Structure formats: C-alpha cells, structure tokens
C-alpha cells in the first residue's frame, strides 16, 4: 500500500474521522503486547518499528549481523516473510526460492546471513536453533507477543519521524506510542533529521539509549554509476529516501519512479521502465530489495544496477557495548532460572 498523505499532516479531518478505529486497533494491539512470550532458549534481539512501512530495519539487521559475528556469535535472522506465500518454518535458499515464496527482504538478507521464515515465530526460533544459532535476530515482530525478546531496538527515519503519531488507520503507528516506548531498549535514528528527537527525549527519561546511524552507499555501486544519468525506481516504504541517497552519492538522477512498498512489478511495468530508459539513454537503478523481488521475472533487463547501502553507526563502540550487555544479561537470566 501507499502511505496516505494525511498521515504526514499534523491536523487532518480524515485522521480525526478514523481515530475511533485507531483507538480500537491500538487497544487490541496493546493488550496483545502485554502477553509474556515463550522463551527461545537463546538470546533474541528484535529490530522493529513503531509504525507501518519502512525506516531501515533491514540495513540495521545486517549491521547487527556483522557485529554479532565480531563478538563470536552465530546469528540467524527470523522473519515472517512478508510478501511470500510460504508459511514455514523454512530456511531461505536463494537457489530455489524467490520473493513470491519467502518475501523480498528475507531473500535479499539470505545472501549474507542464514534466514528462517515462519509465520509462527516460535516455530521459526526452533528452526534457527537447529541451524546452530547462538542469537536470533528478529526482523520486525516488535508488537508480536509470541516470542520473548531479550532486547528490542526500534528504528526510526529521523527525517520522517512518526508523522501525526496516530494509531493505524488514523496514522502509521502500530500501537499507542506510550505502550511501545515502555518495551523499547534502544532507539536507532537513521539520518541527520530532527523529526524523532521528541521520541528520543522520552526514552532518555527512561535511561534508554539513542544510537545515531546513517546509510552509506557501497563504493562498488557508486563506481558502476559514476558519470551516468539514471532512471531510479523503488517499491519500498520510502522511495524518496532512496532517491535522496542516490543524489547524496553524487549520482545524476534524471528520472524517478516511486512504487508502493513490496510492489510486485508486472511485465508491462518492467517493459515501460526499460523503454523509458532506452529513449532517454538512462541507466536503470533500483534498491537491492527491489532487485531481489524482480529475480526470475520475465523481461527484466540484465543491466539494472542495484544500489547497495550499508548502515554505519556514529558510535560503534556504544552499540557494541549495548549488545554485549544484553547478551550477558540474557544468558545470566537463563542460567539463574535453571
């Protein structure tokens, strides 16, 4: 779905009209979040959002994967597999699965880290453990009570913030903000914006840390696009953030085509993009997540350039200490209850 424009206006008749539904949805979600989840038996670190749509969870999960490996851990990512039809539990295999099977994000992440897809998180955790996981990284699922979380890191795009701070469908929040703040262990703010500073200040009152990070273009991706004019297209939570990243990297973005999050491109749409690019002598560029979704589709040009980015934290030592502390506490808690 495309995010409604009224979510990003402070006062809106539509938002006010939908508030009763938001109150009902929020009350149900908040009540679910109060449940005690089952213990996976190993540490579980959740990377989530307060709101629907994208903010940078996937790059955050991959950054934590690298850190956990530096700490000597064996992480396995646990995902619901949004957009895929397999209920799981199943380990993603890039040789035989496509985005229609397991979802675009799990397919993309499986290049760098083992990924278990499961509608039931507890079943997925069991599968991850069977693969030798010492830590489970939950990609999303912050509001899902099925599995106990030893730490929850919430990702927010600092440019967009939480918009009107109303609960879905009146706004983008998945649950009342107060209930979500109470279950947050750290905040990851991506970018240099100030739109989420109020949220960070509220968490600071609870002695919960704020971690600043930014998306950095991959050097190889920049080299592929150097000196070229591009047609950029993306079907992610915030396509404009992708287009801004390209321009910030010095790429000449001549045309842009935004699509809804997790958009499944039709053959006609692919052909139209390719024709537009040929007509204006532009290079097609998209996100790694979009290209994962395009894999195996008919008529996809071979010369689409994936623009890879990595998340870099301003204070990596602070993140390292935070994760190390939570791992220690998680294991100490399990040892003391034996």
């Amino acid at each position: 779905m495309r995010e409604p424009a009224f979510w990003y206006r402070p006062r809106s008749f539509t938002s006010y009209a939908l508030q009763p539904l938001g109150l009902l949805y929020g009350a149900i979600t908040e009540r679910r979040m109060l449940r005690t989840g089952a213990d996976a038996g190993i540490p579980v670190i959740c990377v989530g959002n307060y709101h629907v749509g994208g903010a940078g969870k996937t790059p955050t999960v991959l950054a934590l994967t690298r850190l956990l490996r530096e700490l000597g851990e064996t992480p396995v990512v646990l995902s619901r597999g949004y957009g895929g039809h397999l209920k799981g539990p199943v380990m993603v295999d890039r040789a035989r699965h496509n985005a229609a099977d397991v979802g675009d994000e799990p397919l993309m992440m499986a290049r760098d880290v083992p990924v278990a897809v499961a509608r039931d998180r507890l079943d997925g955790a069991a599968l991850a453990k069977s693969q030798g996981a010492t830590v489970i990284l939950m990609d999303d699922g912050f509001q899902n009570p099925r599995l106990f979380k030893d730490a929850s890191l919430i990702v927010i795009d600092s440019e967009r913030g939480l918009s009107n701070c109303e609960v879905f469908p009146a706004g983008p929040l998945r649950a009342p903000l107060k209930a979500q703040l109470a279950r947050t262990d750290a905040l990851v703010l991506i970018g240099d914006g100030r739109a989420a500073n109020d949220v960070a200040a509220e968490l600071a009152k609870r002695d919960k840390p704020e971690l600043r990070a930014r998306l950095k273009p991959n050097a190889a991706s920049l080299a592929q696009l150097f000196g070229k004019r591009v047609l950029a297209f993306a079907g992610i939570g915030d396509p404009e953030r992708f287009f801004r990243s390209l321009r910030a990297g010095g790429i000449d973005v001549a045309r842009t085509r935004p699509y809804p999050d997790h958009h499944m491109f039709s053959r006609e749409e692919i052909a139209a993009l390719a024709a537009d690019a040929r007509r204006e002598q532009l290079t097609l560029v998209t996100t790694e997540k979009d290209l994962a979704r395009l894999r195996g589709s008919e008529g996809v040009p071979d010369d689409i350039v994936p623009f890879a980015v990595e998340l870099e934290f301003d204070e990596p030592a602070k993140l390292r200490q935070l994760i190390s502390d939570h791992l220690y506490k998680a294991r100490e808690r399990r040892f003391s209850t034996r």
Side-chain angles (χ1 to χ4, degrees), residues 45-47 55-56 60 63-64 67 151-158 184-193 196-197 199-201 203-204 207-215 311-324 326:
I45 299 174
C46 176
V47 178
T60 304
L64 289 176
L67 172 58
S152 292
L153 279 63
I154 299 301
V155 183
I156 299 180
D157 183 329
S158 67
T184 301
D185 294 292
L187 190 66
V188 178
L189 295 180
I190 298 180
D192 299 313
N197 284 7
V199 178
L203 284 171
D207 294 321
K208 304 299 182 182
E210 164 196 338
L211 299 161
R212 285 274 178 177
R214 49 200 30 81
L215 293 169
L311 191 68
E312 291 187 359
F313 284 83
D314 291 359
E315 300 177 274
K318 182 178 178 181
L319 173 66
R320 187 185 184 93
Q321 189 62 57
L322 173 76
I323 297 301
S324 296
H326 279 293

Side-chain angles (χ1 to χ4, degrees), residues 24-39 119-121 138 141-150 152 175 179 182-183:
L24 177 61
Y25 182 91
I28 293 171
T29 307
E30 182 176 1
R31 187 172 180 177
R32 289 181 70 237
M33 290 176 69
L34 291 173
R35 299 177 192 167
T36 301
D39 192 339
R119 295 291 189 270
D120 186 310
R121 262 75 171 201
M138 280 186 68
F142 174 63
Q143 294 81 12
N144 187 293
R146 184 69 168 141
L147 203 59
F148 177 81
K149 305 166 188 69
D150 294 283
S152 292
R183 291 159 181 78

Side-chain angles (χ1 to χ4, degrees), residues 85-86 89-103 106-107 110 115 117 292 295-296:
H85 72 268
L86 293 181
V90 61
M91 295 301 299
V92 177
D93 182 348
R94 285 172 59 88
R96 65 187 182 93
H97 291 141
N98 58 31
D101 296 325
V102 296
L107 190 66
V115 180
V117 162
R295 284 181 69 223

Side-chain angles (χ1 to χ4, degrees), residues 33-114:
M33 290 176 69
L34 291 173
R35 299 177 192 167
T36 301
D39 192 339
I42 59 175
V44 174
I45 299 174
C46 176
V47 178
N49 291 140
Y50 290 149
H51 59 290
V52 299
K57 289 192 305 295
T58 301
T60 304
V61 169
L62 293 175
L64 289 176
T65 294
R66 293 190 293 272
L67 172 58
L68 287 167
R69 285 173 172 163
E70 290 173 8
L71 294 172
E73 303 289 345
T74 303
V76 172
V77 172
L78 174 57
S79 171
R80 182 182 180 276
Y82 182 85
H85 72 268
L86 293 181
K87 295 182 179 180
V90 61
M91 295 301 299
V92 177
D93 182 348
R94 285 172 59 88
R96 65 187 182 93
H97 291 141
N98 58 31
D101 296 325
V102 296
D104 49 13
E105 290 166 351
L107 190 66
M108 186 191 84
M109 288 189 291
R111 182 191 59 194
D112 301 308
V113 60

Side-chain angles (χ1 to χ4, degrees), residues 168-328:
F168 183 86
L173 294 189
R174 298 179 177 186
L177 184 58
K178 185 177 179 180
Q180 300 196 82
L181 289 170
R183 291 159 181 78
T184 301
D185 294 292
L187 190 66
V188 178
L189 295 180
I190 298 180
D192 299 313
R194 302 174 58 85
N197 284 7
D198 289 347
V199 178
E202 282 298 317
L203 284 171
K205 295 176 184 176
R206 305 165 188 255
D207 294 321
K208 304 299 182 182
E210 164 196 338
L211 299 161
R212 285 274 178 177
R214 49 200 30 81
L215 293 169
K216 296 289 185 180
N218 177 276
S221 295
L222 288 176
Q224 278 186 281
L225 297 170
F226 180 75
K228 298 177 180 178
R229 298 173 67 243
V230 308
L231 189 164
F233 66 99
I236 58 175
D238 183 9
E240 291 300 326
R241 183 179 63 200
F242 170 59
F243 304 147
R244 287 196 303 270
S245 295
L246 287 169
R247 294 186 178 104
I251 306 303
D252 184 0
V253 181
R255 296 283 184 271
T256 61
R257 298 285 189 277
Y259 296 89
D261 197 13
H262 300 284
H263 181 68
M264 297 302 292
F265 292 91
S266 67
R267 186 188 306 181
E268 291 74 21
E269 287 171 326
I270 295 169
L273 285 166
D276 289 346
R278 283 195 304 270
R279 184 169 54 252
E280 299 189 46
Q281 295 184 317
L282 305 176
T283 297
L284 284 171
V285 59
T286 192
T287 68
E288 290 187 299
K289 190 170 86 167
D290 283 290
L291 197 59
R293 207 159 53 249
L294 286 166
R295 284 181 69 223
S297 300
E298 291 185 26
V300 177
D302 295 329
D303 57 352
I304 297 177
V305 178
F307 189 70
V309 295
E310 291 185 357
L311 191 68
E312 291 187 359
F313 284 83
D314 291 359
E315 300 177 274
K318 182 178 178 181
L319 173 66
R320 187 185 184 93
Q321 189 62 57
L322 173 76
I323 297 301
S324 296
D325 288 347
H326 279 293
L327 291 177
Y328 175 80

